Amino acid sequence: LLSDPVPNVRLRAAQGLLAARDSAGVPKLIGLINDLPAAQVWQIEETLARLAGEKGPIETLADGSSASRAKLVRAWDKWYAAHASAIDTMRLRDAGAHLGLIMVCEYDSAVGVPGGQVWESGRDLRPRFTIKGVMGVMDAQVLPNGRVLLAENSANKITERDQTGAITWEYGVPGNPITAQRLPNGNTFIAMYNSVMEITPEKKILYNLNRGPTFYIFSASKLRNGNVLAMTAQGVIMEFDPFTNKDVRTINLGPAGGWCSVEAMPNGHYLVATMNNSQVREIDTTGKALMTINMGGVFRATRLPNGNVLAASMTTRAVAEFDRGGNKRWEKICDGRPWSVRYR
């Protein structure tokens, strides 16, 4: 089947071997970069990037041209020649699977006009659904049941909506929510400017921790280890236990002077986006920058499974993807200001 004339059969055969912890299909997977439609190549890129980890090439499929495909094949052939004997297929199981879908929250429908929207698209950027008329939405997450969890900053509430926009569940919060995150246990983590809280499906509050006016939170998420990771307007990254309010780690990046965000990376580093210097950086636990991407007004960023970065700017209303060399692969100008970007 690895030699079947139909490219999709070869793809499934290679994927099946990898699922069985057999790396024999990797060379065929690399060769398929030349044969599959451009809209499918992301699946190969993500698989190879997971196998390679930090040792993979920075090249990604740019415009889908023959020249771009050939360059990408050469880069991965070179990686395979150097690392074939050390491929660890368990990396695929540990990383989990993705659908290749991008979600964007637009705070407003046009700059200065209330009533934002949330939309999700494939890698072709054609919307699969759009929820309009939400009040200052800053964060959204598609749930396993297909509904969407929203942090409606201007309405002081968290809502769960179906993909037509109808509310199926809501919770009023004592502040302006910037984050809404449904946890694996069914609880909901909520972050506001000065506090973080967690509620059960029955809306019982497990904790409501106020960090005080000294720390003005612009980004927050709950990690798998139970800690909260946050970044403040003061440029401080904090990881803390929300039940005891004890800091596990703090990194002071200096005055941020604008909106910013932080994301924990699998390698123990952090991906930060800071509007004051229009940069996305990968930093280590000392705050040292290991990778820098420049984008005007950027303040939200997430690392994609293929190693690229998806970023958003409120000042230019742009959402863009960058490779690890800092090259822009595509850009979309939104109707309103994009406030968060997610990938699943």
Side-chain angles (χ1 to χ4, degrees):
L1 293 177
L2 287 175
S3 300
D4 193 276
V6 179
N8 271 319
V9 173
R10 301 201 298 275
L11 173 64
R12 297 293 179 245
Q15 290 173 330
L17 285 170
L18 286 170
R21 300 193 62 188
D22 186 340
S23 62
V26 173
K28 290 289 185 178
L29 207 60
I30 295 172
L32 278 166
I33 293 172
N34 280 322
D35 301 325
L36 284 175
Q40 285 184 269
V41 174
W42 69 266
Q43 300 178 53
I44 296 176
E45 288 192 272
E46 290 192 0
T47 298
L48 293 174
R50 289 172 180 156
L51 290 172
E54 297 299 316
K55 298 179 180 179
I58 66 171
E59 286 83 357
T60 58
L61 188 64
D63 54 9
S65 66
S66 297
S68 175
R69 291 170 185 264
K71 182 179 180 182
L72 187 58
V73 169
R74 288 195 299 271
W76 280 111
D77 278 341
K78 182 178 179 180
W79 166 83
Y80 183 73
H83 302 284
S85 62
I87 291 176
D88 182 6
T89 57
M90 283 301 293
R91 285 177 174 268
L92 299 179
R93 295 189 182 186
D94 294 341
H98 291 82
L99 300 175
L101 300 176
I102 297 166
M103 169 167 279
V104 175
C105 293
E106 296 185 23
Y107 184 83
D108 36 27
S109 57
V111 177
V113 178
Q117 61 182 2
V118 175
W119 52 268
E120 184 176 66
S121 76
R123 298 299 289 267
D124 58 4
L125 298 181
R126 296 178 181 175
R128 300 173 72 249
F129 70 83
T130 302
I131 299 175
K132 295 179 177 291
V134 284
M135 297 303 295
V137 60
M138 284 194 175
D139 193 21
Q141 175 190 2
V142 177
L143 304 176
N145 60 10
R147 294 172 183 163
V148 185
L149 187 70
L150 306 173
E152 298 189 42
N153 182 272
S154 300
N156 294 81
K157 65 182 180 181
I158 305 298
T159 59
E160 186 177 317
R161 299 172 181 256
D162 65 24
Q163 293 183 10
T164 70
I167 296 176
T168 59
W169 179 92
E170 68 178 286
Y171 181 78
V173 295
N176 303 95
I178 61 171
T179 298
Q181 179 185 354
R182 183 62 49 83
L183 305 176
N185 62 3
N187 292 349
T188 301
F189 171 77
I190 302 166
M192 292 159 281
Y193 293 127
N194 298 116
S195 62
V196 296
M197 64 187 301
E198 185 175 334
I199 61 173
T200 68
E202 298 75 30
K203 303 180 182 179
K204 177 184 176 182
I205 298 175
L206 297 183
Y207 57 81
N208 186 358
L209 174 62
N210 192 311
R211 295 288 296 193
T214 304
F215 296 98
Y216 204 70
I217 299 171
F218 274 169
S219 168
S221 61
K222 191 166 188 187
L223 305 178
R224 289 184 179 182
N225 62 11
N227 293 336
V228 171
L229 177 66
M231 187 169 183
T232 72
Q234 293 82 4
V236 178
I237 295 173
M238 306 178 295
E239 183 178 340
F240 58 89
D241 184 328
F243 289 97
T244 65
N245 196 20
K246 291 184 177 179
D247 289 337
V248 175
R249 174 180 293 125
T250 60
I251 305 172
N252 194 334
L253 298 181
W259 280 85
C260 51
S261 65
V262 60
E263 177 180 276
M265 300 176 64
N267 61 5
H269 298 162
Y270 298 103
L271 187 71
V272 298
T274 44
M275 180 184 282
N276 71 315
N277 57 6
S278 297
Q279 289 185 342
V280 179
R281 288 170 287 169
E282 178 183 344
I283 65 169
D284 62 18
T285 54
T286 69
K288 179 183 178 181
L290 307 174
M291 178 275 294
T292 301
I293 293 171
N294 296 304
M295 179 185 183
V298 67
F299 74 111
R300 288 285 187 265
T302 186
R303 174 62 65 88
L304 300 178
N306 66 359
N308 290 358
V309 170
L310 187 64
S313 164
M314 74 164 78
T315 58
T316 64
R317 307 200 321 273
V319 174
E321 181 177 343
F322 296 85
D323 65 25
R324 284 180 287 175
N327 303 299
K328 186 188 299 181
R329 290 310 185 186
W330 57 261
E331 180 181 78
K332 177 180 174 61
I333 304 301
C334 299
D335 296 331
R337 289 173 290 180
W339 219 268
S340 73
V341 287
R342 286 183 181 265
Y343 183 79
R344 69 181 182 107

